[in-house]
Amino acid sequence: MKGWPLRLKVTLWSVLVGALALLLFGGVVGVAMRRSSLSHLDEALRHEAKDFFESMREHTSPNLWKDQNEVRELFGLVRSLYAFNVEQPPGTSVYRTRSLGNASIPDGPDGTPFTTTIDGDKVRVLQVTHNDVRVRVAADLGPIENIERTLWLTYAALLPLTLLFIAFGGMWLSKKALSPVEQIAAAAERISAQQLDHGLPLPGTNDEIGHLTDVLNEMISRIRVSFEQARRFSADASHELKTPLTIIRGEIEASLRSGPLPPVVEKTMLDLLEETGRLIHIVESLLILSQADAGKFNIELGPVDLGAFMEELVEDVEILAAPRGITLNTNFETGVFVKASAQFLRQVLLNLFDNAVKYNQPDGEIRAKLVRQNGQAIFTISNTGANISPDDRERIFDRFHRADRSRERSTGGQGLGLSICREIIRAHGGEISLEPSVQGWTCFRFSVPLCEIPHVTAAASV
Amino acid sequence: MKILVIEDEKKIANLLQKGLREHGYTVDLSHDGNDGLERASAQPYEAIILDIMLPGRDGLSVLRKLRERKVTTPVMVLTARGEVNERVEGLNAGADDYLAKPFAMDELVARLRALMRRVTGENISFYKVADLSMNLVSREVMRGTRKIELTGREFRLLEHLMRSPEQVLTRTQIIERVWEYHFDPGTNLVDVYIQRLRRKVDDGEEVKLIQTVRGVGYAIKPE
């Protein structure tokens, strides 16, 4: 039941509850009807018995039961719907209605109507004894049972129809009741970290849905505030860091220019300059990331001939790969134009190529491919080497994540490269991903929407 | 050659003053937007270096006001943000160039020179170290009387080395300025290009000009 949609559950529950209610209703009605019919019948039997004894008083002849005319007159007074059995004294049958044939009405308690059978037919019987005369009046229960049977049949036929009706009603109701919830869910889905300030559209009603929307909006604004604070903190922090970094770098450069320094001091100063440079990279990276988080990572995009652009990079990559005996195989489609920022795209590509060299095995291979597919430029880069562990695969685009800490440190990475690549590619309207691993190969892929080939292709060169 | 620096951060202003003086410029300092605007309007400067975040009146407003007053002195805007829209805003307001903090001094000087050249129409630009000379306009490189053919990247690398002779450039600095890579793609790249450059510049010469500072970087100076 857990995974079932709420609508189905509501429908099933309403059918179940409906069925129970109908059964209970039918049972109560049936019992009440039977009781009322029997009490009417009993009343009629009493009436007949009373009538009989009143008539008896007028016919006191000792030969009463032998004179058929007398008898006919006596019973002519009462309706023929009933069967009579008269005993005088009790135990000696003196009269029996003809319709009874050879059967007699069975004995029973005096004055209390009871149900019994005669020749297999169900009957209701009242026995009354007055002086030495005992009379038993019987009425056929057949007509009552017929009515009951008809009622139950009708009921049985209507029950599934009613339940079907309830099911549709339940479905309709739950759909109507849940549609605002679904709207909220759809609206909430559209809200990403960049658009937290939008909140959910208010339904304009004061009901539970309105309340839910209010509560969710309050929650969203709380998230926005803390998110906003975190983002502003990193933006402010990196901004504030730039001034002292400018001073540090400037002072080191000034000292280095100030004249011949003792070699040890000069070496220290240059090391400091190097490290300051690294620090500046980190700060700039953090600033880019915080801008991306805030949805304010705007970059100037212009048409770039991706294939030609990459050929340029390949020369550098070959130089980087050569000392480790790594071969580079490229297959770039020509005339692939994308709307991009050359500077940022270069950063992404170099980062990917750089990783492909760094994490390669000696005498390994790098394969880079650029193709056009469904309006997208698709770039894949694979390198030989140990596979990335499943744990690292998930976190590889996370900030400050490093797959191999010891090695990364020696190569000077900060674990921000791939997360920046992702933000840059997203700012280009594309996606970057780590492809499913093939034994011995690691493959990254990114796609960027294609753009029209510009008329002046010369302007697109980088 | 007089330059006005409008920058409220005193230490940075002093660094700029020191650095520019070393290159033979006279530098006036102003630490406030309004004061800077008045000075810039009152007397002619060769160039103005203008910080964006200023007390009194922010840099962009100073710039707009200056252009309104028909002051055409070339302006280099400094900012700590480095955001694209801010750069566009700065250039729209009439800035001639834009440099993001933290900047390197010699980068600033080189850009400033280019700026003034552009404005004064002066188009001769020439670097010389010992008998190695480089013409930035004709893109001719000569070692004595021998002409050296360089690829685009080799030319840029040599240009950056010659811009500040006798000064060590670290590999990171070279990567940043010559390749404009804002991260470290490893050191091989620089080393390989330096080797190529050496082969063209120093091979067969008695005096070697391109020097390796071990573990750190490279400099250009006579041995």
Side-chain angles (χ1 to χ4, degrees), chain A residues 121-426:
Chain A
D121 292 328
K122 271 181 119 181
V123 290
R124 188 74 174 167
V125 177
L126 176 68
Q127 170 180 305
V128 180
T129 311
H130 198 65
N131 298 329
D132 64 337
V133 178
R134 168 173 292 173
V135 67
R136 283 198 286 276
V137 193
D140 192 3
L141 279 173
I144 293 180
E145 293 203 322
N146 273 340
I147 292 175
E148 278 182 348
R149 195 176 303 121
T150 312
L151 185 78
W152 284 119
L153 280 176
T154 315
Y155 186 75
L158 281 178
L159 188 69
L161 274 175
T162 315
L163 288 181
L164 205 64
F165 184 74
I166 291 175
F168 277 113
M171 238 166 6
W172 180 77
L173 261 182
S174 56
K175 188 182 173 183
K176 193 172 161 59
L178 286 178
S179 81
V181 176
E182 271 166 20
Q183 280 168 14
I184 289 176
E189 224 166 18
R190 283 194 298 271
I191 294 177
S192 59
Q194 277 93 43
Q195 305 156 314
L196 278 175
D197 37 350
H198 290 336
L200 297 169
L202 290 171
T205 52
N206 222 353
D207 55 7
E208 288 88 340
I209 297 297
H211 182 63
L212 177 66
T213 313
D214 285 345
V215 169
L216 285 176
N217 274 340
E218 270 168 41
M219 188 186 76
I220 290 169
S221 72
R222 277 200 301 276
I223 293 174
R224 185 184 61 220
V225 168
S226 59
F227 199 83
E228 196 53 32
Q229 277 168 350
R231 186 198 61 74
R232 200 178 303 138
F233 175 77
S234 69
D236 286 352
S238 33
H239 183 213
E240 290 304 321
L241 284 169
K242 281 186 173 181
T243 302
L245 282 171
T246 310
I247 296 167
I248 293 171
R249 187 195 226 167
E251 293 290 1
I252 296 171
E253 283 175 343
S255 309
L256 283 168
R257 276 196 312 266
S258 65
L261 295 171
V264 183
V265 177
E266 187 176 31
K267 169 94 172 69
T268 309
M269 286 294 187
L270 286 163
D271 279 350
L272 285 177
L273 195 59
E274 230 12 31
E275 289 304 314
T276 311
R278 188 164 298 172
L279 202 51
I280 289 168
H281 288 318
I282 297 175
V283 166
E284 277 168 355
S285 302
L286 285 177
L287 192 58
I288 287 181
L289 288 173
S290 65
Q291 282 167 4
D293 286 346
K296 286 174 186 152
F297 182 35
N298 302 318
I299 53 182
E300 277 175 297
L301 302 178
V304 171
D305 184 345
L306 211 46
F309 184 66
M310 268 193 262
E311 293 292 351
E312 246 191 30
L313 286 179
V314 165
E315 202 191 330
D316 289 344
V317 177
E318 275 170 344
I319 290 171
L320 291 173
R324 303 193 59 211
I326 297 165
T327 46
L328 179 62
N329 288 312
T330 58
N331 183 5
F332 301 147
E333 226 175 90
T334 51
V336 180
F337 281 87
V338 293
K339 255 205 154 64
S341 149
Q343 184 205 331
F344 282 109
L345 208 56
R346 187 190 290 125
Q347 189 172 344
V348 171
L349 287 165
L350 261 175
N351 211 313
L352 293 176
F353 274 116
D354 187 44
N355 282 343
V357 172
K358 258 194 230 164
Y359 297 111
N360 217 317
Q361 62 204 33
D363 301 318
E365 191 185 341
I366 297 172
R367 288 181 191 161
K369 209 168 108 183
L370 174 71
V371 290
R372 237 178 315 205
Q373 206 178 77
N374 304 327
Q376 303 268 322
I378 300 189
F379 176 76
T380 48
I381 176 166
S382 317
N383 68 273
T384 48
N387 282 93
I388 296 168
S389 75
D391 189 40
D392 285 330
R393 289 184 68 85
E394 278 178 30
R395 304 188 47 219
I396 198 138
F397 290 102
D398 287 0
R399 288 158 201 191
F400 291 112
H401 177 72
R402 289 189 295 217
D404 182 346
R405 295 182 166 260
S406 54
R407 190 162 59 156
E408 187 80 40
R409 185 152 296 155
S410 70
T411 51
Q414 286 96 35
L416 285 173
L418 283 173
S419 48
I420 289 190
C421 284
R422 183 167 63 179
E423 298 303 344
I424 292 173
I425 291 296
R426 282 182 179 166

